[in-house]
Every structure is written in C-alpha cells, then in structure tokens.
Amino acid sequence: MRRETLDDNLTQLQAMLDEMGPLVSRAFHDASQALLHDRRRLAEQVVARDPIIDGHRDAVELLAVETMNIHQPVVSPLRSVVTALRCAQQLERMGDLARHVAETVARDERHGLAEQARPLFTEYGARVAAMGDKAVEVLRTRNVVLAYELRADDDAVDALHREVFELMFGESWTAGVPAAVDVALLARFHERYADHCVHLADHVVYAVTGGTPNQVAL
C-alpha cells in the first residue's frame, strides 16, 4: 500500500529495522549457546528462522526503493533511506553468519567445536554477542557515541581471533586437523559478525552526521 508522505515512509523504515535488529541479535545469541552447549535442536531453530530475517531485508529494500521512486528525497531524508538499505543488508549478513554457526552445530555430530577451544569461544561468543546487542541499540537510538565504542570492542574481538589461531597452531593442540578446520571457520564467522556490527554502526553515523566516523570528531 502506498504511503502518503515521505515522513510516513521514513518512520516505517525505522520501525522495520527496529523489528529486524533483535531477530538478528537473538539468532547469534542462540547460535553461540548451541555451539557452547551442544544444543543441536536450538541450532536447527536458528537455521529455520533465518528466512524470517531475509524477509525483513526484502521488505526494507522494497519500501526504500518505493520511497526513492515516489518521493525523490533530498539530502537528509535521502541519507536516511540509503542508510536503511545498507543497515538491512548488514543485518541480513549478520543473520547469515549466525546461521553458519548454527549449521556447524546442526550438521556435525562433533558439534564443530573442539573441547580445547571451548573456553576461548565462551569469551569470544560473549563479546561478539554483546557487540551485536550494542549495534542494534545504535540502530534504534542513533547514538553516535555508542557507535564509536564498537570500534574498540572490535579490537578486543580481533585479539581473541588471533588467540584462536595461536591455540590451533600451538604445541598444545591435540584435537587434530578436522577439528582445527571447524574452529577456524567458526572463528571466521564470529569475526565477520563483529565486523558487520561496526559497519552497521558506521552507517548510522553517516545517517546522523553526513560523514564517516573518520571524518566526524566527537
């Protein structure tokens, strides 16, 4: 149904993102718990819910394109529409990464995580999940200060990513090559999810300020 005003469309786009964000955050939380606690049923639920996230992205894209075609917004409104498109794409990719973690658990009788790596992934998963929660909060509130915090959070996640590989290539690793492959993939999924959290926040900074985080001084 066609909406009467540009403001109506912008409000609806934000509402759609506000609904999509928590679904993505929950997906990663559940995938992480499934991984750490060998919960295959929970992993399967994450995989089954991913099309819902994809559907939200499709709806945002449809309304954003409609808004640009009908209302031809300029400057600030246009930034908001473009940001909605970009944020929906980031959220969809984050949902895919949560699904990848869950798929590793659901399809693998070993659950994809060597016991040696479990303590490290407990911290890794918690930090990445917290980044997802913060990114969703940035999207909801447009809090630029909070957006900048995600860059420091990502540095801590990158340090954990390095620790994972130090563990796998260290002399103490006894879980074997197949387990190492699984751990490497899982580490990559975690790291990329965190990266998308930062990208999501950067898009919000652009919507609010008209500049990138490197161009805007707090």
Side-chain angles (χ1 to χ4, degrees):
M1 181 176 67
R2 176 171 173 173
R3 292 160 182 83
E4 294 301 322
T5 71
L6 174 60
D7 286 343
D8 288 339
N9 282 41
L10 296 179
T11 298
Q12 182 64 15
L13 282 169
Q14 184 63 46
M16 293 162 75
L17 291 172
D18 289 344
E19 185 175 350
M20 185 179 181
L23 294 176
V24 173
S25 180
R26 178 188 173 191
F28 189 85
H29 275 277
D30 286 351
S32 181
Q33 289 302 303
L35 178 68
L36 294 172
H37 302 292
D38 299 337
R39 297 178 60 184
R40 296 186 71 179
R41 180 81 176 272
L42 182 60
E44 291 166 354
Q45 291 171 355
V46 173
V47 175
R49 292 196 303 261
D50 187 61
I52 298 173
I53 294 172
D54 294 344
H56 278 72
R57 180 213 56 208
D58 292 343
V60 169
E61 290 182 352
L62 183 63
L63 179 55
V65 171
E66 173 192 300
T67 301
M68 288 188 285
N69 286 339
I70 294 175
H71 297 290
Q72 298 180 353
V74 295
V75 195
S76 180
L78 179 60
R79 282 207 310 268
S80 295
V81 176
V82 171
T83 296
L85 273 169
R86 291 174 174 173
C87 287
Q89 290 166 355
Q90 295 296 332
L91 287 168
E92 189 268 337
R93 290 168 186 164
M94 290 162 66
D96 285 346
L97 290 161
R99 189 194 74 227
H100 293 335
V101 173
E103 285 174 338
T104 304
V105 180
R107 70 169 178 254
D108 195 335
E109 292 182 357
R110 294 176 292 108
H111 304 297
L113 185 62
E115 196 62 36
Q116 280 181 279
R118 203 171 294 269
L120 191 52
F121 269 85
T122 298
E123 182 179 0
Y124 203 171
R127 284 187 177 272
V128 172
M131 285 187 67
D133 294 343
K134 186 178 288 187
V136 169
E137 181 69 6
V138 168
L139 182 60
R140 185 182 69 82
T141 63
R142 299 201 165 198
N143 186 325
V144 173
V145 175
L146 204 61
Y148 274 77
E149 289 181 8
L150 279 161
R151 293 189 162 220
D153 296 339
D154 192 48
D155 290 340
V157 166
D158 288 343
L160 283 168
H161 189 71
R162 290 191 293 270
E163 285 187 43
V164 171
F165 282 84
E166 289 169 2
L167 172 65
M168 288 191 306
F169 291 112
E171 294 181 358
S172 64
W173 183 259
T174 60
V177 173
V181 172
D182 284 339
V183 167
L185 285 172
L186 288 164
R188 179 61 172 166
F189 299 152
H190 282 61
E191 184 214 17
R192 289 301 298 152
Y193 185 95
D195 287 344
H196 285 300
C197 291
V198 175
H199 297 328
L200 181 67
D202 287 351
H203 293 323
V204 174
V205 172
Y206 169 75
V208 173
T209 69
T212 67
N214 292 332
Q215 296 169 331
V216 179
L218 290 180

